[in-house]
Amino acid sequence: MAEPATLTVVVGAQWGDEGKGKITDYFAGDSDYVVRFQGGNNAGHTVIVDGEVYKLHHIPSGVLYPHPISVIGNGVVVNPKGLIEEIESLRAKGVEPNLKVSDRAHAIMPYHIVMDECLTSHQGELAAGSTKRGIAPVYADKAYRHGIRLGDLLEPAIFEEKLQRAYKFNKEVVTQAFGGNFDLAFDDIYTDYLKYGETLQKYICDTQLELFEAYRDGKSFLFEGAQGVSLDLDHGLYPHTTSSNTVAGQMSVGTGIGLNGGRRVIGVAKAYVSRVGISPFPTEMNDDEADYLRERGQEYGTTTGRPRRVGYLDLIQLRQAVRVNGLTEIALTKIDILSGLDELTVCTAYDITGEEVREMPGSLGKMRQAKPLSVTLPGWDELTDSDVEQLCGGGYDNLPDTMKKYIAFIEEEVDCPITIISLGPQRHQTILR
Ligand code: GDP
Ligand code: IMO
Ligand code: MG
């Protein structure tokens, strides 16, 4: 009998951009498979190795090691042209991806991007401020059941049959419902996508079966979430969310691996909060504070370059992340960015029309009225680069006392251990407890 498989899931515990790429890369070297299970190229995951910066959008953040197999699971939506460019940009840096892509993953089509624009203007204040990558429309077409899957690109007759339906539907919605322009020619899409299929053919396979066999053989798996709990389609701040489920449970649906067996679920949380896009944001900082942290933390979207909105830590959000993901631990990132501040504000509850609320409400009306109830904790001194290097070599006990108190306060409030502390973007700037 093979040893039981080990399963570790890394998910965003806030609004995305928590540092999932960095934490995934940190653990990927010990994994046989590193797997994405939802989202698409709305994700932007940064990994820095030996000073080289990699920005990944579809490909899992384990790709920089030669050993693990990178898998794009069936729950992911793939822009084939974007994926080809991503593979080429890795090759240009000397990395040959060891990649498998699910034949069941849905393809983002050019008309999804047109639809994304139309939807965003139609939704006005209720829009989420999408990344314009076609994410809502591709998942909608999947649910309508006229989506195009990557496997379809390898079967020209089937592809043509399906594309006819999907093309007609999207064209009519854009022109009739939205009164928009639609200048995409059917033949161009058809021939371009068949070409993308040819290029990607060597990667496209039945990943569901491959993953099952590896699971049965006791291999180790690392699952990399995209986005974060507050962007989850069900559990997030709907409708200001993305269009996939971002929580750890989606790992089973988005890959086809069953739910039996123990697992480690790591929620990645920044030591403060950022948000790209539109939604209520109770702990958003005033402009001066936000400008300071945005510059220090380089809070600009990895995918769109948009400045991220910045706020202080929201423990209502993190408490929900612990609950709905079943987190076994938290990786706290970017704690270095808070260095040198006298005091740190942390939100422990919301005041909603006079009531103290400690758990995330599902109501948009309530979230629009939520005011943070906060405590302040003492900060720690500025850390120079050499302080950071020394701390990373020295382990948890050597961290400044006030930093350890900040960490202990969060653990106590959200009832989950913080076992990974990230003090910089590089692989080695990480402390395990
Ligand atoms: P993801 O989408 O969750 O993978 O996060 P992004 O890559 O979009 O954004 C996180 C940013 O913070 C990237 O630029 C990382 O290189 C950087 N980063 C990650 N962890 C740390 C950390 O502990 N300290 C600092 N200073 N930067 C970090
Ligand atoms: P990673 O994986 C931060 C946000 C968008 C918008 C909403 C819906 O890098 O953490 P979509 O294009 O998905 O329809 O946009 O979700 N969003 C993200 N914000 N990080 C991300 O990914 C995001 N992916 C989507 O800004 O508010
Ligand atoms: Mg990101």
Side-chain angles (χ1 to χ4, degrees), residues 111-177:
Y111 45 78
H112 291 141
I113 292 162
V114 176
M115 281 280 270
D116 206 347
E117 290 279 353
C118 296
L119 277 171
T120 299
S121 20
H122 167 72
Q123 288 165 341
E125 295 230 320
L126 291 176
S130 92
T131 58
K132 308 278 169 66
R133 296 298 185 272
I135 302 297
V138 68
Y139 277 117
D141 274 0
K142 176 175 175 178
Y144 277 133
R145 303 192 296 272
H146 58 226
I148 309 288
R149 310 208 294 188
L150 292 186
D152 297 332
L153 307 183
L154 311 181
E155 296 182 14
I158 298 273
F159 176 42
E160 186 174 6
E161 185 184 342
K162 288 191 173 181
L163 184 63
Q164 266 161 0
R165 301 276 147 196
Y167 177 86
K168 182 169 189 296
F169 177 88
N170 280 275
K171 183 173 180 177
E172 288 191 2
V173 175
V174 169
T175 53
Q176 313 283 328

Side-chain angles (χ1 to χ4, degrees), residues 17 43-45 302 308:
D17 303 328
H45 296 179
T302 308
R308 295 174 183 151

Side-chain angles (χ1 to χ4, degrees), residues 16-22 44-46 48 302 308 333-337 422-425:
D17 303 328
E18 300 90 346
K20 296 175 292 293
K22 174 192 158 155
H45 296 179
T46 314
I48 306 181
T302 308
R308 295 174 183 151
T333 60
K334 298 195 120 170
I335 198 157
D336 52 304
I337 301 299
S422 173
L423 285 162

Side-chain angles (χ1 to χ4, degrees), residues 77-99:
V77 289
V78 175
N79 182 316
K81 183 164 183 267
L83 177 58
I84 292 166
E85 286 166 3
E86 204 171 322
I87 294 169
E88 280 167 1
S89 80
L90 284 169
R91 278 201 191 121
K93 293 182 173 176
V95 178
E96 183 59 44
N98 188 357
L99 178 69

